[in-house]
Structure formats: structure tokens, C-alpha cells
Amino acid sequence: MRALLPFAALVLLTACSQNAEAPASEESTAAPAPAPAPRPEMTEEQRAAVLASLPAPYNEGDLENGRRVFARCRSCHTLAEGGGNLTGPHLWGVFGRPAGSVEGFRYSEAVQNAGFTWDAEHLDGWLAAPREFLPGNRMAFAGVPDEADRRDLIAYLKVETGYAPE
């Protein structure tokens, strides 16, 4: 019996290596769909062109100030295409998206039942005073009281979250 053990091990190893090298059936060779390639970083000229295409008053926004104001939001929200949810939902594609609709994010009932689509005007009201704009939401953020800061932040978000003017 002991003499058979090395032979059995050799047969198993040979079989395993043959399976590893043997071509798989068509069904098992189908690779999962690749994740979409991340959007290349925009140049300053491209950002300026998107900014110029925005409706007033956002076309006059200060993107650098908007970036600085967004620093208050960064711990809870991501901007990148394919970015994940954090404490708050990702913001890629926020403009034109129904409130409370990011898959996989657990919204308060207030946001789930808000019944509007995010646009600059709704976002401006939300950013000014989230608790007053939509009572019952769970966002723990006092708001951005300065109108120019909100304008710059909204312009920045439009440029950085895939907004496409109509």
C-alpha cells in the first residue's frame, strides 16, 4: 500500500496540472465586464470651458473657491465617477438625479420622499440650510451661509461631477 502512495500523488499532480493548462469551455472563459476606465483628469482649459458653458450665475463661479468650500463636504461625499458612498452618497451625476436615488445608500424618509430632481436651485436651498430645506433629513451639516460660496461650490460640483449642459 505504501508503494502506491507516491504513484497516487503523482497521478493527482499530473491531473491538476493538465486541468490548469487545458483550455476552458467558452462559458468559463468569459471574463467579467471590465470596470469603466476612470475619466481622465480635466485640464484647466477644459474646466474653464465647462464653467463658461454653465448657466448664469454659475458661469461666473470661482472654481478654486468652490474646491475650498467643498473641503467641508469631502469627509462625507466623493465626486469621482464610480466613487463610493461614504457617510453621504457619492455626488457623481448629482445634477438631474432624483433625490434619494443613489443605489446602495440608505437615505432618511425625508430624502426618499422629497419628490424632486437635483438641480442648482434645489442644491442651493439644501446647501444654505439643509435642516430647514428638507426637515427630517439626517445630514449633520449646518450649511453654507454665504451666497457667493454656494454659487462657487455649485459651479465646482457641476464641473467635477459630470454635468453636461443641455
Side-chain angles (χ1 to χ4, degrees):
M1 183 75 153
R2 250 179 206 232
L4 291 177
L5 270 161
F7 178 74
L10 181 63
V11 169
L12 283 173
L13 287 173
T14 304
C16 288
S17 67
Q18 286 176 349
N19 285 342
E21 295 170 9
S25 71
E26 272 187 47
E27 290 179 356
S28 65
T29 58
R39 183 175 75 146
E41 184 70 26
M42 283 195 289
T43 66
E44 289 307 313
E45 292 79 21
Q46 290 169 319
R47 281 186 176 90
V50 173
L51 180 66
S53 72
L54 299 178
Y58 307 104
N59 60 345
E60 297 176 7
D62 177 342
L63 294 181
E64 182 55 29
N65 185 48
R67 184 189 64 74
R68 283 191 302 270
V69 174
F70 182 73
R72 303 177 205 171
C73 315
R74 191 172 306 282
S75 64
C76 296
H77 298 280
T78 61
L79 297 179
E81 184 174 14
N85 298 323
L86 301 174
T87 304
H90 71 80
L91 298 178
W92 178 262
V94 65
F95 295 98
R97 181 168 71 204
S101 66
V102 170
E103 191 173 322
F105 188 78
R106 207 183 91 199
Y107 290 96
S108 65
E109 282 189 38
V111 176
Q112 288 176 20
N113 299 321
F116 64 82
T117 297
W118 288 112
D119 58 19
E121 291 73 28
H122 283 99
L123 191 57
D124 185 64
W126 174 271
L127 291 170
R131 300 248 178 214
E132 292 172 25
F133 179 79
L134 193 60
N137 79 75
R138 292 189 309 247
M139 188 162 132
F141 180 68
V144 179
D146 185 78
E147 188 176 332
D149 283 348
R150 289 195 313 274
R151 179 203 62 211
D152 295 347
L153 176 56
I154 292 169
Y156 175 76
L157 291 173
K158 283 183 176 266
V159 170
E160 295 298 326
T161 62
Y163 172 78
E166 296 174 11

